[in-house]
Amino acid sequence: MRPSRPRALLLATALLTAGCGPSPGDVAPVPSAPATAPSATTTAPVPSAPVSSAPVPSAGVSSAPVPSAGVPSAPGAPGAGDAPGPAPGLDDPASLAVVVNKRRPLVPAGWAPAELETVEGRRLRPEAAGAARELLAAARTDGVGVVLLSGYRSYDEQVTTYAGWVAQQGQEAADTVSARPGHSEHQTGLAVDVGEDGPCDLRACFAGTATAAWVAEHAPEHGFVVRYPPGQEPTTGYAHEPWHLRYLGPERAQELVRSGAATLEEFSGLGPAPDYAPEPAPGG
Ligand SMILES: [Zn+2]
């Protein structure tokens, strides 16, 4: 798929919409990944994204239906010291417990939240939006500047974002910094990228800023966790992104920290997702 747009425009598009990756010039060498065949994923027809408050049937997923939507997961969460078990809602995009990664696409791929609120120009699910406002206010109180750089992205917006990275770097490199459409946590409306409105925003050097330090320490109080911690690429599929926060709700976010789990995958009792699953064999 050769885009016809000029490179400069693609660059601008990617930088404006990437949200989840350092700028192309700042990408550190990445461990070589198994070569992936050009995938039908990038050229598949875009499924329609029904926006509905009705529970979304999880077609094609073998797991049992899970309770949905908006209800804080695990109301009877185990206390500190108990081993965290798989939470309900891991497969349900409407659940705060949903886990989306390279092995766990949203189902259906074009799923969209029933409701979104705007916080400082970024769209988030209402639960996450309220928490983001609290986080921003708390940072301000502590004299730390935090800005929101990215929130909800639709399936179609992720198509554009990912295509921009592929056009610049090729698919293998793009897969290390940008999710394929239908695999982005931003599509859940529960993920937000934060920055300090400075030159290190969305770059590896953000890790060294006071803003990143504040966020790493205080995000769980507001229900967010740093989703892609350092050294966890074999599990999460992504290098350290100190700017990408995922809303779990304050109880589960703090429970994750207390548990000592390094990643949301581990906390949720799920296996690693270092890369995209191979295309299923025909008939199998
Ligand atoms: Zn992000």
Side-chain angles (χ1 to χ4, degrees):
M1 182 173 65
R2 303 282 303 182
S4 56
R5 282 180 294 170
R7 181 179 176 83
L9 176 58
L10 285 168
L11 177 63
T13 301
L15 288 175
L16 286 171
T17 60
C20 250
S23 75
D26 199 33
V27 172
V30 294
S32 62
T36 47
S39 161
T41 308
T42 55
T43 53
V46 178
S48 62
V51 178
S52 163
S53 58
V56 180
S58 27
V61 174
S62 58
S63 56
V66 290
S68 75
V71 180
S73 54
D82 293 338
L90 299 180
D91 298 327
D92 181 0
S95 168
L96 295 184
V98 70
V99 179
V100 174
N101 60 34
K102 291 179 177 179
R103 296 288 176 95
R104 299 175 53 83
L106 283 92
V107 178
W111 186 87
E115 202 179 344
L116 291 165
E117 286 181 12
T118 300
V119 185
E120 297 203 346
R122 311 299 169 186
R123 293 170 296 167
L124 291 169
R125 291 251 292 275
E127 309 93 311
R133 288 189 193 96
E134 291 174 13
L135 181 147
L136 292 171
R140 216 165 284 135
T141 299
D142 287 354
V144 175
V146 181
V147 297
L148 304 187
L149 301 173
S150 185
Y152 169 70
R153 279 199 298 270
S154 70
Y155 183 95
D156 288 352
E157 288 165 330
Q158 191 67 25
V159 168
T160 303
T161 297
Y162 180 73
W165 284 100
V166 171
Q168 287 172 265
Q169 304 190 348
Q171 185 171 38
E172 190 172 328
D175 281 340
T176 66
V177 293
S178 179
R180 294 182 188 176
H183 291 79
S184 173
E185 205 172 48
H186 285 279
Q187 193 181 329
T188 67
L190 298 173
V192 63
D193 296 328
V194 300
E196 56 168 1
D197 194 19
C200 283
D201 284 355
L202 303 177
R203 290 170 172 265
C205 61
F206 179 68
T209 65
T211 295
W214 187 93
V215 166
E217 181 179 354
H218 294 285
E221 298 162 16
H222 304 283
F224 292 92
V225 296
V226 175
R227 178 69 175 85
Y228 307 120
Q232 297 301 321
E233 186 169 354
T235 299
T236 66
Y238 293 97
H240 186 203
E241 289 195 3
W243 55 84
H244 179 109
L245 307 181
R246 159 66 195 272
Y247 185 70
L248 293 172
E251 294 81 11
R252 287 196 77 230
Q254 291 172 54
E255 189 189 334
L256 187 157
V257 172
R258 279 196 305 269
S259 76
T263 62
L264 181 58
E265 281 80 5
E266 183 184 330
F267 179 65
S268 302
L270 297 170
D275 52 20
Y276 293 99
E279 295 292 312

